[in-house]
Every structure is written in structure tokens, then in C-alpha cells.
Amino acid sequence: MMNLFSVFDPTSYFGINLNWVIMLIVFMFFPMKYYLVESGLLSMYKTLFMSVSKVFKEVSFPNYLALNFLCVMTFMYLFLSNLLGLFPFIFTSTAHPFITLGLGLVFWMSFFLMGFTCKFKESCAHLVPEGSPFLLSPLMVMIESVSHLIRPFTLSIRLAANMMAGHLIIGLLSSISMISVFGFFGSLLLQNMLFVLEFGVSIIQGFVFSILLLLYALEYY
């Protein structure tokens, strides 16, 4: 007859008493907020996220929450990519036209095709500005069509050019430091000033790219 108390005997597998693992498994069912304490960086990140999301919601209110979330996450991705590019020996992906053109073309083409597929009349109505003379309508359609087609290129080149220009200027200023002692300290001061400016450009360019994406998407819907 089996001893009723044998269930409490430690069971060993490969020399390891797995009975006591239950003491750790219990903690897996506790909410993570009891284990994690927000750092200053995480708090700043969440504050920035909520502030940008609030601005985007004012533009897309009261609908299009999915588009709002997509554009906010695009901003956070671009902001972090731009920010990481400020550190030495890190490739600035957003300064390369292939990367920015890929983002711009994919997003714009998605919004364009979805708008003309779901709401063809409303999307076509944007090709003729309100109040345009009837006789000039064919010409306005051609002009607006060209302006719509170059949007992804202007959107992408703007981001790449701004990010590339700042890095090039910092690189040129660093060459001045080899001339003399005065040039070294002058170059150091100017580079620090430009570094602060580039930090602001990282935020602004990510915000401009994302808010324009949202405006283009709302125009096609």
C-alpha cells in the first residue's frame, strides 16, 4: 500500500530537486509592475510618447486611431534612429536616401492605394482644389497629380538631407582642430553647439516626417 505522505517526498531528476521550482513559478503570475521600477530614461520616453500621441490625436480626432498609432510609432523609430546616429562609429541609417525613400514610398503607396480603392470619388476630388475655375480643371488635375506623385520623394529627401547635412558640418569642423590650439578649442566649442542642435533636429525631423504621413493619409481617406 502506497504511503499517503509519499507525495511530499522530494523528486529528483538528473540530480536536481524540481519540487522547489514551484516557489519560483508562483512569481510568474504576479503583474510585472510589482517587479519593475521606472527609470528616469523610461519616464522621459513615456512622457515624449504621450506628448506626441496627444498632438497626433488632435489632428486625427475623433477617428483614425490606427493611423495615429502608426504615425506615433514611426516618429519614435525615426527619433531613436536619428539619436543613435549622433554617437561615434554608429551608422546613421536615416541619412541614407535608400532608407528614407523606402519608408516614404511604402507608407505613401499604402495610403494612396487604400484611399483610391476604398474612397475613389473623395480621393479624386482632392485633385481639383475647391473653388478652381471649371476650364482650368484639367490643368489643375495634372499639377495636383504631379504634386501627389513627388510627395514620397520630398518627404524622404528632406529627412535624409537634414540628417546628412548636420553630420557633414560636424565632420568639417573637426578638421579645424588639427590646425592650431585655438582651432582645437574653437572646433570643440562649435561641435558641442552643433551636437545640441542636431539633437533638436533629430526630434523635429522625426516629427515632421510622421505628421506629414498622417496628413497625407487623412487626405486620401
Side-chain angles (χ1 to χ4, degrees), residues 44-119:
M44 184 181 67
Y45 182 84
K46 290 179 65 176
T47 302
L48 178 64
F49 181 88
M50 296 304 296
S51 300
V52 174
S53 180
K54 183 179 179 181
V55 174
F56 282 30
K57 283 180 181 179
E58 293 178 356
V59 177
S60 60
F61 183 82
N63 302 317
Y64 310 110
L65 295 179
L67 285 176
N68 177 60
F69 179 76
L70 175 64
C71 293
V72 171
M73 295 310 299
T74 302
F75 165 77
M76 299 306 298
Y77 171 77
L78 292 175
F79 166 64
L80 292 176
S81 298
N82 296 341
L83 189 62
L84 288 175
L86 297 177
F87 291 91
F89 307 109
I90 296 182
F91 174 69
T92 310
S93 59
T94 50
H96 203 291
F98 283 167
I99 303 299
T100 56
L101 277 174
L103 287 173
L105 283 172
V106 168
F107 280 121
W108 177 84
M109 186 63 70
S110 302
F111 299 149
F112 181 83
L113 292 178
M114 189 172 294
F116 275 85
T117 302
C118 300
K119 296 183 179 181

Side-chain angles (χ1 to χ4, degrees), residues 10 13 40 42 56 66 68 72-73 89 100 104 122 125-126 129 139 145 165-166 170 174 182 189 195-196 214-215:
Y13 296 96
L42 182 59
F56 282 30
N68 177 60
V72 171
M73 295 310 299
F89 307 109
T100 56
E122 289 80 355
H126 289 292
L139 180 61
S145 298
I170 292 177
S174 63
F182 178 76
L189 176 62
F195 184 83
V196 176
L214 180 59
L215 292 175

Side-chain angles (χ1 to χ4, degrees), residues 190-216:
L190 292 175
Q191 286 185 72
N192 288 330
M193 294 173 61
L194 275 176
F195 184 83
V196 176
L197 180 62
E198 280 295 297
F199 180 80
V201 171
S202 301
I203 301 176
I204 293 172
Q205 290 304 315
F207 181 80
V208 169
F209 189 96
S210 305
I211 197 68
L212 286 177
L213 276 182
L214 180 59
L215 292 175
Y216 293 161

